[in-house]
Amino acid sequence: MQSAAYSLSSPCSIPSLKPRKFGSRAGSQPIRVSSSFAAPERHEHSVSLPNRSWRLSSSSSLPLRAWNLVPSDSKPDRFEVRATAAESAGEGEKSGSLVKTLELGLLFGLWYLFNIYFNIYNKQVLKVFHYPVTISAVQFAVGTIIVSLMWTFNLYKKPKVSGEQLVAIVPLALVHILGNLFTNMSLGKVAVSFTHTIKAMEPFFSVVLSAMFLGELPTLWVVGSLLPIVGGVVLASVTEASFNWPGFWSAMASNLANQSRNVLSKKLMVKKEESLDNITLFSIITIMSFILLAPVAIFVEGIKFTPAYMQSAGLNVKEVVVRSLLAALSFHAYQQVSYMILQRVSPVTHSVGNCVKRVVVIVSSVIFFKTPVSLINSLGTGIALAGVFLYSRVKRIKPKAKAA
């Protein structure tokens, strides 16, 4: 160990510490302590200690080394870096999961909101403008414009469709036209809440058509869930204040057409090399529906969506045109968002969301239009919707495979 000499002077003086530099000869000098104390007898005392070499002893007798600020082994650092990276990755995954959840919640909110606006504006137009075929054609026309703009500005990739695919899509477009046309006919005849109560029967038609054309036999759980749906719709229909047969059968025909579209899409678009994603398929169906329905609307109802005709009929042209366009925009937007959600969640989750959407539309329409609803009517609607929710839950239960 390095040697050091300390000199203590007078009592009131501050000691002066002058350590020698590292690297001097260890143990070559004795340690001297010189002190001068104020005492009656002023004697100087000099204490001499023998030469000793001081070392930090250990079991391995290693000499004392100077501190090294740089660690000799970098393994702890590597471990720390890896741990930090793992923590950062975990935080990144949590952040990404939160963002995805917020995006999905936003999509569900938009889905419901666009549905509410579509039903309200559509009902307001159909109450004064009694031409459901023309209104349906206008809705497909607006959808065609939106799809064309999306493809033109590369907001969504323009598909390459073969002639064989177009031939397969034609039946889907036909039933898509019928589904929306019958819905508009029903909305023009009865209350929005009653139309959507009847449309709660969609699972019933889905099960029947799937069994007939796809050979998909339902489980006992699925059959059991259909009972409250049918019973609730019957109870709500009997007590509905706005009930009439054209409105009722139009809504039932809409159920049949919409579920036929789903069955046909499974049956006709089965080859993977010919399959299209849902949004692309919906876009093509929208354009094809407009091309097919526009001449039918002119032939059946004539050219009625003009300012001249509306003024002659005593209608407010601006209100009818603006609300028709808003209804058409909402119509295309809610279906587009619906397919975007379907790409992110399972069909069962989407079905549950659709059930909740119907509840939201019914409640909002009753509040907005101040529709009179009796207690029994509310009970029937509630039972039907509860059956739809139960159906969406039990649909995932697969039948047990028979032992060979």
Side-chain angles (χ1 to χ4, degrees), residues 216-286:
E216 298 178 358
L217 297 179
T219 63
L220 291 177
W221 289 103
V222 170
V223 174
S225 68
L226 297 178
L227 297 178
I229 296 176
V230 176
V233 169
V234 170
L235 186 61
S237 301
V238 171
T239 57
E240 173 60 38
S242 66
F243 178 87
N244 60 66
W245 287 111
F248 174 84
W249 287 117
S250 296
M252 293 293 281
S254 173
N255 289 336
L256 178 61
N258 287 332
Q259 296 311 308
S260 297
R261 179 190 61 195
N262 295 340
V263 171
L264 284 172
S265 63
K266 290 181 182 179
K267 194 173 182 64
L268 297 177
M269 310 294 288
V270 290
K271 297 182 181 179
K272 291 184 179 180
E273 63 271 13
E274 294 183 356
S275 63
L276 301 170
D277 65 89
N278 289 327
I279 295 178
T280 300
L281 182 60
F282 168 69
S283 300
I284 296 172
I285 288 176
T286 299

Side-chain angles (χ1 to χ4, degrees), residues 65-69:
R65 295 181 179 177
W67 288 357
N68 189 355
L69 299 179

Side-chain angles (χ1 to χ4, degrees), residues 59-107:
S59 59
S60 59
S61 301
L62 295 175
L64 180 64
R65 295 181 179 177
W67 288 357
N68 189 355
L69 299 179
V70 180
S72 60
D73 190 359
S74 60
K75 288 183 180 178
D77 287 345
R78 287 200 298 269
F79 176 77
E80 184 178 353
V81 170
R82 289 174 185 170
T84 305
E87 290 174 0
S88 300
E91 291 176 359
E93 289 178 1
K94 290 180 181 179
S95 177
S97 177
L98 178 61
V99 170
K100 289 181 180 179
T101 302
L102 292 175
E103 286 180 355
L104 188 59
L106 177 62
L107 288 176

Side-chain angles (χ1 to χ4, degrees), residues 7-149:
S7 176
L8 279 71
S9 56
S10 62
C12 58
S13 64
I14 300 175
S16 175
L17 288 86
K18 297 181 180 178
R20 296 189 181 182
K21 295 182 180 179
F22 291 99
S24 62
R25 291 176 300 172
S28 60
Q29 297 292 334
I31 299 179
R32 302 176 181 274
V33 180
S34 244
S35 58
S36 177
F37 300 97
E41 299 180 1
R42 298 180 59 85
H43 297 291
E44 285 191 359
H45 302 279
S46 179
V47 182
S48 179
L49 297 178
N51 256 351
R52 292 191 182 180
S53 178
W54 300 87
R55 26 176 108 231
L56 181 66
S57 62
S58 64
S59 59
S60 59
S61 301
L62 295 175
L64 180 64
R65 295 181 179 177
W67 288 357
N68 189 355
L69 299 179
V70 180
S72 60
D73 190 359
S74 60
K75 288 183 180 178
D77 287 345
R78 287 200 298 269
F79 176 77
E80 184 178 353
V81 170
R82 289 174 185 170
T84 305
E87 290 174 0
S88 300
E91 291 176 359
E93 289 178 1
K94 290 180 181 179
S95 177
S97 177
L98 178 61
V99 170
K100 289 181 180 179
T101 302
L102 292 175
E103 286 180 355
L104 188 59
L106 177 62
L107 288 176
F108 270 98
L110 291 174
W111 188 22
Y112 297 167
L113 187 64
F114 287 137
N115 252 279
I116 293 171
Y117 278 122
F118 165 70
N119 284 279
I120 290 176
Y121 287 132
N122 208 28
K123 178 64 177 178
Q124 289 176 333
V125 171
L126 289 168
K127 282 174 68 175
V128 297
F129 190 80
H130 307 292
Y131 298 100
V133 184
T134 300
I135 291 299
S136 299
V138 169
Q139 291 168 359
F140 290 134
V142 172
T144 300
I145 295 172
I146 294 174
V147 171
S148 301
L149 291 174

